[in-house]
Structure formats: C-alpha cells, structure tokens
Amino acid sequence: MLPKDPMMLLSYVNTQLRDHYPSLQEFCAAEAAEEQSIREKLSLIDYEYDAELNKFV
C-alpha cells in the first residue's frame, strides 16, 4: 500500500525508483499502482516525473 500523504509518497516513490525500478511504469506495474493517480497526487505539491532522471522533481 502506497503512502497517502504526498510528501511521504514522494519519498517512497523516488527511493523505489532509485533503488529498484528503471521507470515509473515498471514501478506501477510491480506495485499494482495507478500511474496517473501518483502523478496527480505529486503534482499537488508541485512535483512532476522526469523520465530522463527517473524521479519526481
């Protein structure tokens, strides 16, 4: 289960991307998470996914 708090979600997702997954799509598939939902939650705190860096910035 993913954290509901956007700041905690940011930390969790970026750590997982850094340590385990080469893309957000692969993370979402492995976690059974909706990519659009993650993007929307993190956009609330002004973060967007950067595919080149493979993290939310």
Side-chain angles (χ1 to χ4, degrees):
M1 181 143 202
L2 297 177
K4 294 192 186 310
D5 177 84
M7 290 303 292
M8 295 297 292
L9 180 63
L10 172 66
S11 177
Y12 178 75
V13 171
N14 274 347
T15 299
Q16 293 298 307
L17 290 171
R18 180 191 70 216
D19 295 346
H20 303 290
Y21 300 100
S23 70
L24 180 59
Q25 293 77 18
E26 289 191 35
F27 167 79
C28 290
E31 295 283 327
E34 290 186 27
E35 181 178 340
Q36 189 60 31
S37 176
I38 293 172
R39 287 177 180 269
E40 288 173 4
K41 277 188 182 177
L42 295 182
S43 74
L44 294 173
I45 57 171
D46 298 322
Y47 280 83
E48 291 184 11
Y49 180 67
D50 184 320
E52 189 173 306
L53 297 175
N54 191 35
K55 67 179 182 177
F56 281 87
V57 293

